[in-house]
Each structure stands twice: as C-alpha cells, then as structure tokens.
Amino acid sequence: MAQSGNQENRASRVSAAAHGDRYALAAEGANDALWDWDLKAGRVLYSPRWAAMLGLTAEALSATSEAWLGRVHPADIDALRRAIDALIGGGARRLEHEQRLRHADGTYRWMLARAVALRGADGIALRIAGSQTDVTDRHWQREQLEYDAFHDGLTGLSNRALFLDRLGQAVAMARRRHAQGCAVLALGVDRFKLVNDSLGHAAGDEFLSVLARRLEGCLRDGDTLARVGGDEFAILTEQADGLDQVMAIAERANAILATPIVLDEQDIFASVGIGIAVATPRLRNPEDLLRDAFLALYRAKAMGTGRVEMFDQGLHARAVKRLKLESDLRHALERDEIDAHYQPIVALDTGRIVGFEALARWTHGERGSVSPAEFIPPAEETGLIVQIGRKVLTTAARQLVAWQRAGLAAPEMMINVNVSAKQFSQSDLAGEIRDILAATGLAPARLKLELTESVLMENPELAQSILEKVRQMGVRLCVDDFGTGYSSLSYLHRFPIDSLKIERSFIARIAERQSERTLIKTIVDLGQALDLEVVAEGIETHEQRRQLLALKCRLGQGYLFAKPMPGEEVGALLAKVRSGASLFPPENPPLTVTAITA
Ligand code: C2E
Ligand code: MG
Ligand code: MG
C-alpha cells in the first residue's frame, strides 16, 4: 500500500513538474502542508494542513513569515534563515531544511521544509513557495538508534563505546593543557555470579540497575559512569589533580554497598572491587588506560573482596607475560609438549609403593621444563585445563596399564590424577572419564581423582552430582591439600570421598611445631573415624617420616622417597625395587622399599 502510494506520489511529481513549480509543489502529497511566501508583499499563505500540523486552526495563523519563523526552535533558527537567504539570493536552487517547530501543546516537532524560488525576468526572486512534512517520528527513531548505540539498555548508563569516546576527549584535552589529566576507575562486583546463580538473572539485572543508580550518586559533576561489561562498570574522572580525589571516589563507591540491596525481600550484601589507572603525561590511548584500570581491578579481585588497587607498570609487564604464556600453552597442546611425571605414594613403615600421583609437565621448546605452579593457574583461567586434564588422565591411565601388563605393577596399584574446578563446569567430566577408562583398559577402581577443597566448594551441587556418578563407576576420590581450605567439615559427609591428603606445609613444620603435630593428629583421627585413608604430602626427611608414623599416618609421598619422574624412569625404579633395592638414602637401620607386584 505504502509503496503504491509512493509510486503515485512520484508519478504525480514527475508529470506535475511539466506544469510548473507551483503545481508540482501542490501535488507533493496529502500529508504535506503548503506555504507560499510573497516576498514583495511580505505575506505568507499557509495551507490549513500547515496549521493543523502544529495543532492550530487556519484562523489562528497570521499571514506573516513570523507565524513560521517565530515558532522555530532557537537552536535551529539561524541555520533556517541562512538556508532561506541562500534560496532567495540564488546561492541555492532549492531549499531543503529540517527544523523544530513549536506545536500548540508546547512540544517541538521536527519539520522538513522544501521550497523553490519563483523569479522575475531580472532574476530577482518574487516568491518562494514550498511544502512542509512532519518528520518527527523519523527523527525520534534516528535519535533512539543513536542513543542505543552508545548506551547500555539495562541501566541506561553510557556504554563502552561512549566511555572510550569521552575518555579520548579527556586525554586529548589534558595533553593540550599539559594538565595532570584524568583517571579511570574500573569497578567489578565481587562474586556477582553468586547473585545470578542463586536468585536468577532477572534479580541479577535488578541488582545491577540498583547498583548503577547508587554509583551515580558517587560522582562529581563532569564524571562519566559507564557499564562496560556484564558486572563491570567504569568511572572517568577528569582533571584528577590529586590521587586524593580519585581515592575519595573509590571510597564512596566502596561504601555504597554497605547498605544491602534488597531483592525478592532478601538483603544482598555485596561489595565491589576497584582498579585505578591514572593518565600519565606520556601519550596514552584511551583503550590502554581502560585496560590498565581493569588489570588493577583483576588484581584487586584476586586479593579479596572490596579491595582498591592502583595500576603500576609491573602489572602490565606481568599481564604481557601471562598473555605470552597462554598462547605458548595453546601451542604446547597442539605440539604435544604436555606430558605426565609420576611420584610414588608409599607405605611409610615398609616403603612399599602403593601408587603414583600423575603430575602435569610441560617441556617448552625454548624454556625447557615449566613448572605446573606457573602454567596450571592460567590454564584454569582460560579453560585450557580441560584439555590438559584430559591429556594427563589418558597418559596416566595408559601408563599404569602398561606397567601392569609388563608385570611391574600389581593389579591393586593406584594412579592419582589432579582435577581442577573448570573440568567440572566446562566438560562432561564423568563421561570423559568413562571414555578414557574404556579406551585405555584401566579398571575404574585403580583411578583416584585428587580434588582440592576449593574445587568442591566452588559449586557444591554440581561437584556432588558429578562426583556421585564418578564414584558409582568405582573411581576413588581424594581431597588434596587438606587443611588449607574451608574450615567446615560438613562437606566430608556430603561428597563420596575415600582419602585425605595432608597439605605439604604442615609436614614441613612437623618437627619444630607441636601445633602442627596436633593438627596432623586431628586429621588422622578424623580419617579413622570416617574410614578415610590419610596420606602425607611433601615428606623430605626421615625425621618427618618417623613423626608421621608416630601420629599413625601410614601413607605418604615426598622427595625423601622420590621426586616426580618420567614414565620410563618409574619403569626402571619398579624393576629395581622389585629386587629389594631401597627408594631413599640409607638410614640406620636401612628401610627397604618394595613395590607391590603381580
Ligand atoms: P599437588 O597436587 O598438591 O601436587 C604435589 C606437589 O608437590 C607437586 O608439585 C610435587 O612435585 C610437589 N612435591 C612432592 N613431594 C614434594 C616434597 O617432598 N617437597 C616439596 N617441596 N614438594 C614436593 P608440582 O608437580 O609442581 O605440582 C604443583 C601443583 O600443580 C599440584 O599440586 C597440582 O595442584 C597442580 N597440578 C599438577 N599437575 C596437574 C594436573 O595434571 N592437573 C591439575 N588440575 N593440576 C595439576
Ligand atoms: Mg595432587
Ligand atoms: Mg597437594
């Protein structure tokens, strides 16, 4: 319909053009209004439609140019006058101009005026005449689109693009004035995921809206607040002449959550972490400044909740190094540079090897061996741990089966493999384990997964459901680094656990400190009461071994017996101990280490 109307319009315009300008303009379309300005007489005729468009009656409209120009928005009047002058003077052949006109209801409407001039023989304009179209809707849509492109739909705050634009202007201005410049505060809600997961996304959205309003209350005139990510906000404060001012904003932002946010009649106590980056006199581009503020924020979050951290160059250097490590790690997986080493777990009294812990090893092309302490944390953050975990598990399972087949390991020897939190949330862990066991031929009961307390507590429901499945297959479970994490022991009942591995730092201090011995004794008793196997980690001296035995801890691993070593070396060791050789430096009386073999 609209299309055929347009076609008609176009057709009438074309044919009318032959009849002269006046008719052409008259035929512009029923929706348009017409006007005709006699320049000599100074009279303007307006069509009834022109008056109606502005909520007026034809009678209420005087036949003067003032009836039009007097209604134009002050911001638009100069440009309109210039356009009219250009048409009259002959500088422009046509007038085509949009301006806001005041409606009878007091609001402004966007009008498009189009006109031509009718000239005498001498070329002097006698009349100008044209049409007027209401283009308010189109304007509104365009403004809305522009607004949407630069604002966050949920909170109505500026978005990242607008923030970066403002930041760019602030940096440029400071550079011109050689002034101190500006600072960026990056804010992130601590544990926002918890709000979202426990109360649902609608509540999460409401939380963010309330937070946005509260943050607005922390600003000074001229500061810009933006939502730049899911639960991430940024504040730009200009002319930050002293750090004190910036810190004052940070403190206010920190304090606004002292009063809980009420959602679904529940008080939500939350906190924000804040990272600050200050523009330096060196040229800084806005993206860098925002990134630096976020690097500081991530450090603040890593250090706890409700923290404020300043960016420094060291942080940048570390981030660059980390990025390089990540990309190297991806390559390492492609090039198969990740392997497993094995450390024996032994009976502390007889030295008999009861199993091995598989530990990931990365042999880097240039750097040689890279410690898991260095590459496991970034692998966890990036999710690469899922692939690493799969690789270590497969390698270790295959290795134990090979030792069993070679007659080096008894059927009851165990292999322990470490599992990270991400492997629970980002993969079908139970399914993967089942597949790997099937592919390698390892009996489920020979595999033990090592999980830290934080892995169990990060998402207890998920961990519980997966671990129950895994345990049902017959796979065993061990809490690693026991004693360092949550003080609540309730989870020991909740999860189907078989063993506890006492954190290495307790063993290191066992000889000197009674408190450490008491703690270890408590863990051993707890294990006994709950029917859990207890293993000591990081045993380096005979003294530690003896103390542990005295505390009735019967299993352990550590450099005293063997360091983690490649599979081939373990094969040789297993062959050696089978013939009665000792695993560790001779003691008086010597202790014999044996392996359980078929
Ligand atoms: P963890 O699971 O607690 O492993 C024990 C760590 O203690 C190993 O460090 C081992 O080499 C070290 N260790 C063993 N005996 C002694 C000793 O007598 N003295 C001292 N000072 N240290 C000893 P490693 O191999 O550097 O691994 C560090 C951590 O990295 C592991 O701690 C584990 O949390 C993680 N990790 C290693 N491999 C993997 C893996 O395949 N997957 C996952 N998710 N994490 C892994
Ligand atoms: Mg471990
Ligand atoms: Mg450990």
Side-chain angles (χ1 to χ4, degrees):
M1 286 294 276
Q3 205 178 2
S4 77
N6 274 339
Q7 274 164 2
E8 262 167 42
N9 255 343
R10 225 174 295 135
S12 61
R13 225 175 291 159
V14 171
S15 66
H19 293 93
D21 288 321
R22 186 119 186 245
Y23 292 114
L25 291 164
E28 270 290 318
N31 275 331
D32 291 353
L34 298 172
W35 52 270
D36 187 336
W37 185 343
D38 183 334
L39 295 169
K40 250 180 143 178
R43 275 167 54 85
V44 187
L45 292 177
Y46 300 99
S47 70
R49 178 92 192 103
W50 201 100
M53 263 182 191
L54 294 164
L56 303 164
T57 58
E59 298 78 52
L61 211 59
S62 70
T64 62
S65 59
E66 195 47 30
W68 176 16
L69 302 180
R71 293 199 140 71
V72 178
H73 192 284
D76 301 337
I77 186 67
D78 289 347
L80 176 61
R81 282 191 196 279
R82 277 198 301 278
I84 293 174
D85 289 349
L87 178 64
I88 294 172
R93 252 176 37 79
R94 283 178 65 93
L95 173 130
E96 187 146 342
H97 190 269
E98 286 182 12
Q99 81 271 188
R100 276 162 288 182
L101 293 191
R102 198 176 55 253
H103 190 271
D105 66 11
T107 62
Y108 279 95
R109 304 286 165 95
W110 278 99
M111 298 294 173
L112 167 64
R114 281 182 292 200
V116 292
L118 295 144
R119 299 176 190 281
D122 53 3
I124 304 282
L126 303 171
R127 295 214 311 268
I128 56 172
S131 65
Q132 173 167 285
T133 317
D134 189 330
V135 291
T136 308
D137 282 355
R138 208 173 68 207
H139 254 271
W140 189 83
Q141 282 166 6
R142 196 162 67 204
E143 271 173 20
Q144 188 64 39
L145 281 175
E146 275 169 16
Y147 183 88
D148 289 350
F150 290 108
H151 290 83
D152 166 47
L154 174 66
T155 59
L157 297 179
S158 308
N159 66 10
R160 186 187 187 88
L162 184 55
F163 187 84
L164 283 171
D165 184 62
R166 297 257 165 88
L167 184 54
Q169 288 173 20
V171 170
M173 178 124 76
R175 204 181 296 150
R176 271 200 304 278
R177 286 207 253 103
H178 303 290
Q180 249 291 339
C182 50
V184 173
L185 292 87
L187 300 97
V189 183
D190 295 318
R191 293 175 305 195
F192 177 68
K193 201 172 162 293
L194 215 64
V195 176
N196 247 348
D197 288 352
S198 53
L199 299 177
H201 285 269
D205 283 355
E206 201 186 326
F207 177 92
L208 292 172
S209 301
V210 175
L211 177 63
R213 297 290 84 78
R214 289 196 188 177
L215 284 173
E216 277 175 329
C218 303
L219 305 182
R220 301 179 311 166
D221 278 353
D223 293 345
T224 302
L225 170 66
R227 180 174 176 226
V228 293
D231 60 339
E232 292 173 336
F233 296 84
I235 295 174
L236 161 64
T237 173
E238 293 183 49
Q239 290 153 37
D241 291 326
L243 252 186
D244 291 354
Q245 285 173 10
V246 183
M247 288 310 281
I249 299 178
E251 271 160 30
R252 284 201 297 277
N254 225 284
I256 53 164
L257 285 171
T259 334
I261 291 180
V262 185
L263 294 178
D264 286 348
E265 298 178 351
Q266 272 194 65
D267 284 351
I268 309 295
F269 287 91
S271 60
V272 286
I274 300 176
I276 300 174
V278 181
T280 60
R282 281 192 303 122
L283 303 186
R284 297 289 296 267
N285 86 46
E287 278 92 357
D288 288 353
L289 200 54
L290 186 61
R291 181 205 59 205
D292 290 352
F294 270 94
L295 283 175
L297 169 63
Y298 297 142
R299 184 169 63 175
K301 283 194 156 194
M303 292 176 79
T305 57
R307 307 251 333 186
V308 181
E309 284 294 321
M310 290 288 299
F311 172 79
D312 63 59
Q313 277 307 315
L315 208 53
H316 185 231
R318 281 198 291 281
V320 170
K321 193 171 162 215
R322 182 71 169 260
L323 218 61
K324 166 104 173 58
L325 187 71
E326 269 172 39
S327 90
D328 282 1
L329 201 49
R330 280 179 210 281
H331 286 126
L333 276 161
E334 285 159 18
R335 297 197 203 110
D336 215 15
E337 290 173 0
I338 308 273
D339 196 10
H341 278 199
Y342 306 89
Q343 185 177 37
I345 299 170
V346 306
L348 295 180
D349 51 355
T350 62
R352 191 169 47 91
I353 298 175
V354 299
F356 289 88
E357 175 174 9
L359 293 153
R361 288 294 176 267
W362 175 9
T363 315
H364 191 286
E366 295 151 26
R367 296 176 53 195
S369 179
V370 184
S371 156
E374 195 181 336
F375 73 84
I376 296 286
E380 280 171 342
E381 266 173 40
T382 51
L384 286 171
I385 191 69
V386 173
Q387 283 159 271
I388 294 176
R390 202 178 290 144
K391 163 83 182 163
V392 172
L393 180 56
T394 313
T395 310
R398 196 171 285 142
Q399 181 64 79
L400 180 55
V401 171
W403 290 329
Q404 287 169 345
R405 292 197 179 138
L408 293 168
E412 60 269 33
M413 190 173 273
M414 300 292 299
I415 186 83
N416 289 21
V417 175
N418 295 283
V419 177
S420 291
K422 273 274 164 64
Q423 291 174 264
F424 282 84
S425 55
Q426 288 195 357
S427 66
D428 168 23
L429 188 61
E432 256 174 33
I433 291 172
R434 187 182 305 111
D435 293 347
I436 291 171
L437 290 174
T440 56
L442 183 70
R446 305 279 57 86
L447 175 64
K448 190 179 278 183
L449 304 182
E450 293 196 5
L451 319 133
T452 59
E453 290 163 89
S454 55
V455 170
L456 297 174
M457 297 317 288
E458 195 173 293
N459 191 342
E461 283 80 25
L462 183 70
Q464 189 175 6
S465 82
I466 293 177
L467 290 179
E468 262 155 21
K469 269 191 234 161
V470 172
R471 189 67 190 81
Q472 264 162 23
M473 286 184 234
V475 173
R476 314 281 175 87
L477 303 171
C478 166
V479 182
D480 202 353
D481 305 340
F482 187 76
T484 50
Y486 289 77
S487 48
S488 154
L489 295 178
S490 60
Y491 72 88
L492 285 181
H493 287 292
R494 180 169 185 176
F495 300 105
I497 291 161
D498 302 275
S499 10
L500 304 176
K501 207 181 235 191
I502 309 173
E503 154 70 11
R504 188 168 77 214
S505 58
F506 299 134
I507 314 301
R509 294 187 294 257
I510 193 172
E512 308 96 69
R513 297 204 357 209
Q514 177 59 40
S515 58
E516 244 65 13
R517 284 195 291 275
T518 311
L519 213 137
I520 292 169
K521 179 84 178 67
T522 312
I523 297 175
V524 172
D525 289 348
L526 186 75
Q528 229 164 24
L530 297 175
D531 199 19
L532 304 172
E533 186 178 70
V534 176
V535 185
E537 193 168 46
I539 305 169
E540 294 183 355
T541 66
H542 280 296
E543 179 55 25
Q544 288 165 348
R545 182 182 72 86
R546 266 192 297 269
Q547 297 262 13
L548 285 162
L549 275 173
L551 295 171
K552 299 208 162 48
C553 177
R554 299 185 201 291
L555 295 169
Q557 70 188 94
Y559 295 167
L560 174 66
F561 312 105
K563 290 199 169 175
M565 51 192 153
E568 315 82 71
E569 278 180 40
V570 173
L573 175 85
L574 285 173
K576 203 167 92 185
V577 294
R578 205 164 44 155
S579 60
S582 171
L583 256 190
F584 43 85
E587 216 205 350
N588 219 359
L591 195 117
T592 325
V593 173
T594 54
I596 37 174
T597 52

